[in-house]
């Protein structure tokens, strides 16, 4: 009979469509006639499939009564109610009729004893319920499904239907947070007994949450549910998980973390981040997000209290920096570790946590020796030189305002920076180390000034700490001599390797710094600057024709800044300009 009706159905569908096409009179007659037919299941199925959803919705109560009374071999009630559910997903009854209609429909649906019949039917009704009824109806539906499919073996047969039900509820439930706090939602999720299937369901929930949730989440029940879902995803990752899957899961969990916000309850916010760190242990991106958010939290606390710092607020800032310092080593990417150490050190500096700032900067610099010399990106090997130079330049700009630690000595962190620069294996013929050394000269010049060009509120930098003490200036000068020697060695090596263009550029860069920063009236310094100019002129044809005029213009600008002072340096600079013009 079932095979016969599968052939019979399409013909009846076509006849009904033709008879009822743009003719409501015939449609009404058909419904009236079908009540008198004994085995009316095939006709009822044809009505549900062939007639418009608007017509079905307008007579929903009448039709559901007909379906509940139908008894036809080969056409089960579950098939009829499934077809009715599909029609309801397109067009629904009037608001005042929906509750009674749903109750009457489920009086029959709940009588289905076969789990397959029940879940296949309910799958089509889930969209109608989620979209048109209070959340309590969805919760009641989930409870019924859990009761019917509590057996593991039964669930495994219907994972696809369960996924479809979850998708329809998520897509049609306007308040995702309200859904998450329903008592039957997480137990429904537990019906997905296989890890891979449950992970897909959890990922789907977080995708919809990212798209449809409020800007911030504060409800502890919602947060707890999302933590549970995120942990399932985190625990599903193995060494065999592909990188793209890890990336997607990391982004979804990070999005959830960024949305958790407790307002001015900063201690509660920090406690959440501590819990999240323990929960999501397999994901570098999530750890990075946590460190970024905790640093942001420390700065938020700073902006709230600002000048009214207390022992309690200082302790909170130290707790935030400690969290970051402990968390960063768990990240596998060295570059990400270095960047976060730098940021955390800067946050510590602003919050006047000097010891923790020094520890972060020191940890960051020590990691440079562990950096790979090159990375493969999109099948191409790219050296790390540019990253290291950029990173160390940023570090130098920060170290300008970092006061020396009394335990470590004068310019300890700068000395460490010079040491790690030597240890890193720059590419052959790279300008990286020399660029760093030139920037170090800029930083050392600032250290010799009576007042630094910028400060951090509440931080006593070296200008105030030393006050141009002769011993400190002597240490600065010694470091300058050391750095200049390193640059001269590199220039000599470039000449031996016949890298004349690079040698010429670096010669001019070093010369500009000498005439700007050094005591040019000293014979040795004056001669060094002049020799660098002469060395550059040997191969000026290798440079852009506008390069040397720009250098001369820069020298003139330096002279104009000093000519009115009538100092030895100004006189020496004037003499230097006469020499280069003569040459």
């Amino acid at each position: 009979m079932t095979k016969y009706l599968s052939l019979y159905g399409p013909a009846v569908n076509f006849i009904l469509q033709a008879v009822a096409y743009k003719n409501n009179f015939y449609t009404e007659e058909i419904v009236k006639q079908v009540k008198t037919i004994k085995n009316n299941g095939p006709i009822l199925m044809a009505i549900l499939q062939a007639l418009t959803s608007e017509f079905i919705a307008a007579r929903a109560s009448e039709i559901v009564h007909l379906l509940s009374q139908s008894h036809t071999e080969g056409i089960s009630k579950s098939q009829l109610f499934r077809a009715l559910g599909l029609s309801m997903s397109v067009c629904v009854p009037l608001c005042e009729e929906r509750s009674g209609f749903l109750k009457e429909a489920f009086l029959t649906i709940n009588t289905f004893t076969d789990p397959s019949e029940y879940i296949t039917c309910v799958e089509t009704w889930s969209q109608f319920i989620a979209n048109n009824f209070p959340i309590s109806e969805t919760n009641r539906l989930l409870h019924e499904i859990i009761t019917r499919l509590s057996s593991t073996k039964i669930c495994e047969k219907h994972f696809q239907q369960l996924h479809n039900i979850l998708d329809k509820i998520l897509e049609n439930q306007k308040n995702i947070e309200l859904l998450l706090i329903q008592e039957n939602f997480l137990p429904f999720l537990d019906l997905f007994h296989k890890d891979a299937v449950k992970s897909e369901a959890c990922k789907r929930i977080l995708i919809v949450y990212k798209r449809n949730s409020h800007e911030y989440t504060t409800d502890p029940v919602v947060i707890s549910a999302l933590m549970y879902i995120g942990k399932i995803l985190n625990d599903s990752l193995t060494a065999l998980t592909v990188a793209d899957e890890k990336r997607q899961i990391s982004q979804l969990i990070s999005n959830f973390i960024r949305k958790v916000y407790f307002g001015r309850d900063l201690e509660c916010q920090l406690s959440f981040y501590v819990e999240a760190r323990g929960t999501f242990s397999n994901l570098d991106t999530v750890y990075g997000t946590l460190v970024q958010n905790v640093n942001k939290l420390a700065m938020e606390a700073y902006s709230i209290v600002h000048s009214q710092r207390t022992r309690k607020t200082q302790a909170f800032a130290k707790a935030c920096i400690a969290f970051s310092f402990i968390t960063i080593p768990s990240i596998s990417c060295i570059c990400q570790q270095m960047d976060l150490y730098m940021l955390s050190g800067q946050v510590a500096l602003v919050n006047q946590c000097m010891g923790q700032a020094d520890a972060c900067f020191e940890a960051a610099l020590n990691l440079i020796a562990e950096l790979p010399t090159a990375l493969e990106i999109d099948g191409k090997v790219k050296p790390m030189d540019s990253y290291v130079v950029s990173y160390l330049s940023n570090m130098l700009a920060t170290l300008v305002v970092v006061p020396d630690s009394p335990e470590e000595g004068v310019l300890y962190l700068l000395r460490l920076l010079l040491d790690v620069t030597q240890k890193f294996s720059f590419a052959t013929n790279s300008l990286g180390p020399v660029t760093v050394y030139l920037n170090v000269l800029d930083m050392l010049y600032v250290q010799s000034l009576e007042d630094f060009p910028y400060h951090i509120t509440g931080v006593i930098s070296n200008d105030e700490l030393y006050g141009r003490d002769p011993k400190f200036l002597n240490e600065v000068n010694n470091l300058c001599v050391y750095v200049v020697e390193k640059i001269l060695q590199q220039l000599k090596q470039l000449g031996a390797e016949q890298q004349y263009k690079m040698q010429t550029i670096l010669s001019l860069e070093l010369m500009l710094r000498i005439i700007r920063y050094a005591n040019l009236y000293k014979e040795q310094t004056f001669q060094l600057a002049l020799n660098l100019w002469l060395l550059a002129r040997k191969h000026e044809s290798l440079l852009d024709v506008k390069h040397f005029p720009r250098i001369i213009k820069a020298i003139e600008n330096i002279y104009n800044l000093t000519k009115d002072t009538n100092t030895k340096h100004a006189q020496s600079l004037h003499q230097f300009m006469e020499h280069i013009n003569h040459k």
Side-chain angles (χ1 to χ4, degrees):
M1 181 59 70
T2 302
K3 188 178 293 184
Y4 167 73
L5 289 176
S6 68
L7 301 173
Y8 180 80
V12 178
N13 285 0
F14 175 76
I15 292 170
L16 277 185
Q17 285 177 342
V19 169
Y21 182 67
K22 293 184 178 180
N23 195 323
N24 288 331
F25 174 77
Y26 284 126
T27 304
E28 295 283 359
E29 282 298 312
I30 290 166
V31 174
K32 192 179 297 183
Q33 288 293 326
V34 79
K35 295 178 183 179
T36 63
I37 300 174
K38 184 179 181 182
N39 293 314
N40 58 4
I43 307 298
L44 287 172
M45 181 65 77
I47 288 173
L48 294 171
Q49 293 177 344
L51 302 186
T52 64
S53 297
E54 290 78 9
F55 176 84
I56 304 298
R59 293 153 187 82
S61 297
E62 180 183 0
I63 289 175
V64 79
H65 180 72
L66 283 172
L67 300 187
S68 63
Q69 298 298 318
S70 174
H71 297 280
T72 304
E73 183 185 355
I75 298 290
S76 67
K77 287 186 180 180
S78 65
Q79 289 174 289
L80 293 172
F81 276 87
R82 174 179 169 79
L84 180 59
L86 288 171
S87 180
M88 290 299 102
S89 65
V90 179
C91 185
V92 298
L94 296 174
C95 292
E96 58 270 19
E97 297 177 1
R98 289 175 195 170
S99 182
F101 164 71
L102 181 68
K103 184 177 180 180
E104 188 174 354
F106 268 79
L107 283 175
T108 302
I109 293 172
N110 287 336
T111 63
F112 300 157
T113 55
D114 185 340
S116 296
E117 284 191 347
Y118 177 79
I119 198 68
T120 304
C121 181
V122 166
E123 177 190 346
T124 64
W125 284 81
S126 55
Q127 179 176 334
F128 170 66
I129 293 172
N131 200 25
N132 298 282
F133 291 89
I135 191 66
S136 56
E137 283 295 341
T138 300
N139 188 52
R140 190 178 294 114
L141 175 67
L142 294 177
H143 173 71
E144 187 66 29
I145 294 171
I146 293 167
T147 304
R148 295 292 188 105
L149 274 71
S150 56
S151 168
T152 303
K153 289 184 178 180
I154 296 175
C155 282
E156 289 180 354
K157 295 178 182 178
H158 302 292
F159 280 152
Q160 186 58 55
Q161 285 87 357
L162 291 173
H163 256 301
N164 293 342
I165 290 170
L166 179 64
D167 277 347
K168 288 175 181 178
I169 291 175
L170 289 172
E171 289 295 335
N172 291 278
Q173 181 53 243
K174 299 174 181 63
N175 190 332
I176 182 69
E177 284 94 347
L178 197 57
L179 176 64
L180 288 169
I181 64 175
Q182 297 306 305
E183 60 181 336
N184 291 307
F185 183 74
L186 293 182
F188 173 78
L189 197 59
D190 290 335
L191 292 178
F192 299 93
H193 298 296
K194 288 186 178 179
D195 291 342
V197 180
K198 184 179 284 190
S199 297
E200 281 300 315
C202 290
K203 191 196 296 187
R204 180 64 181 152
I205 293 169
L206 288 185
I207 289 172
V208 174
Y209 174 78
K210 179 180 180 180
R211 186 176 67 236
N212 295 344
S213 62
H214 298 129
E215 185 178 1
Y216 293 115
T217 296
T218 58
D219 191 318
V221 181
V222 174
I223 294 169
S224 177
L226 290 169
M227 288 285 282
Y228 174 77
I229 292 166
K231 182 169 174 55
I232 292 172
L233 287 172
N234 178 82
D235 295 347
S236 70
L237 300 174
T238 66
L240 301 178
T241 305
V242 296
D244 187 60
E245 179 74 4
K246 282 188 177 182
R247 180 187 59 79
Q248 289 182 38
I249 291 174
S250 296
Q251 290 178 348
L252 290 171
I253 295 176
S254 294
N255 172 76
F256 149 58
I257 289 172
R258 283 191 288 266
K259 286 195 173 189
V260 174
Y261 182 61
F262 292 100
R264 290 211 166 190
D265 192 348
L266 304 184
E267 291 183 352
C268 187
Q269 190 82 38
L270 182 59
S271 297
F272 165 72
Y273 293 141
V274 172
E275 182 185 357
R277 181 178 62 186
T279 303
F280 308 120
S281 56
N282 294 331
L283 301 167
D284 281 6
T285 303
V286 174
Y287 269 23
T289 299
L290 288 171
V291 172
Q292 294 272 21
N293 280 24
V294 169
N295 285 334
K296 181 181 176 182
L297 189 64
M299 294 307 299
E300 189 174 342
Y302 174 80
S303 67
I304 291 173
V305 300
H306 204 45
S307 60
Q308 301 175 348
R309 302 179 67 80
T310 64
R311 185 175 296 179
K312 184 178 180 180
T313 58
Q314 186 72 4
F316 179 78
K318 287 183 177 180
C320 290
I321 308 304
F323 174 96
S324 299
F325 191 78
I326 293 169
T327 307
I328 292 170
S330 301
I331 298 171
S332 58
C333 176
I334 296 177
C335 291
Q336 191 177 4
Q337 283 191 47
M338 289 170 58
D339 291 339
L340 291 174
Y341 272 131
M342 170 90 79
L343 181 62
S344 300
Q346 291 167 341
V347 171
L349 202 60
V350 171
N351 283 278
Q352 301 171 33
C353 303
M354 308 313 301
Q356 289 172 300
D358 287 346
C360 287
F361 295 138
E362 184 177 347
L365 290 171
N366 285 328
L367 282 173
I368 289 178
E370 300 179 23
L371 276 174
T373 56
L375 289 178
E376 185 175 336
I377 302 174
D378 297 331
K380 296 180 180 180
V381 177
K382 295 185 178 181
M384 294 290 290
D385 293 20
S386 59
Y387 171 78
V388 173
V389 171
S390 175
Y391 186 85
L392 292 178
S393 300
N394 189 1
M395 179 67 78
L396 285 167
T398 302
L399 293 183
V400 165
V401 293
V402 177
D404 286 338
S405 169
E407 291 84 13
E408 300 294 349
V410 175
L411 298 175
Y412 161 72
L413 289 172
L414 178 61
R415 294 176 190 274
L416 178 59
L417 185 147
L418 290 170
D419 184 48
V420 298
T421 302
Q422 284 184 283
K423 291 180 179 178
F424 182 75
S425 300
F426 286 95
T428 307
N429 300 328
S430 171
L431 290 176
V434 183
T435 304
V436 173
Y437 290 139
L438 290 170
N439 291 337
V440 168
L441 288 178
D442 294 333
M443 188 266 192
L444 287 170
Y445 167 70
V446 173
Q447 291 292 312
S448 69
L449 296 176
E450 189 173 348
D451 292 306
F452 291 172
Y454 52 90
H455 293 85
I456 293 177
T457 304
V459 176
I460 299 175
S461 298
N462 284 343
D463 56 346
E464 191 176 349
L465 189 65
Y466 292 112
R468 288 182 60 83
D469 181 77
K471 290 183 179 180
F472 173 69
L473 293 179
N474 186 54
E475 290 289 339
V476 171
N477 288 333
N478 290 338
L479 280 173
C480 286
V481 171
Y482 170 79
V483 172
V484 169
E485 286 177 354
K486 286 290 183 184
I487 297 174
L488 292 176
Q489 289 174 12
Q490 186 70 21
L491 287 173
K492 185 177 180 181
Q493 184 178 344
L494 289 171
E497 295 171 355
Q498 298 184 353
Q499 299 290 327
Y500 297 126
K501 182 176 180 179
M502 293 167 61
Q503 184 191 53
T504 301
I505 293 172
L506 292 177
S507 298
L508 293 171
E509 289 293 329
L510 179 57
M511 179 208 67
L512 285 174
R513 282 164 174 79
I514 289 174
I515 65 174
R516 177 70 180 91
Y517 305 148
N519 295 325
L520 200 60
Y521 53 85
K522 291 186 177 181
E523 179 61 30
Q524 189 177 3
T525 306
F526 185 93
Q527 195 58 48
L528 175 59
L530 191 58
N531 289 340
L532 289 168
W533 172 262
L534 295 175
L535 177 62
R537 291 303 297 264
K538 284 184 180 180
H539 305 286
E540 63 176 297
S541 60
L542 298 175
L543 303 183
D544 187 286
V545 292
K546 296 181 180 179
H547 196 93
F548 266 87
R550 283 198 295 264
I551 295 295
I552 293 172
K553 182 66 175 176
I555 296 171
E556 290 174 350
N557 289 337
I558 295 171
Y559 174 68
N560 290 332
L561 290 172
T562 60
K563 65 180 181 180
D564 294 333
T565 61
N566 197 27
T567 60
K568 290 182 180 180
H569 183 77
Q571 295 169 6
S572 300
L573 188 53
H574 178 69
Q575 186 181 357
F576 180 79
M577 290 179 63
E578 288 181 343
H579 271 74
I580 63 174
N581 288 330
H582 175 68
K583 298 293 182 182

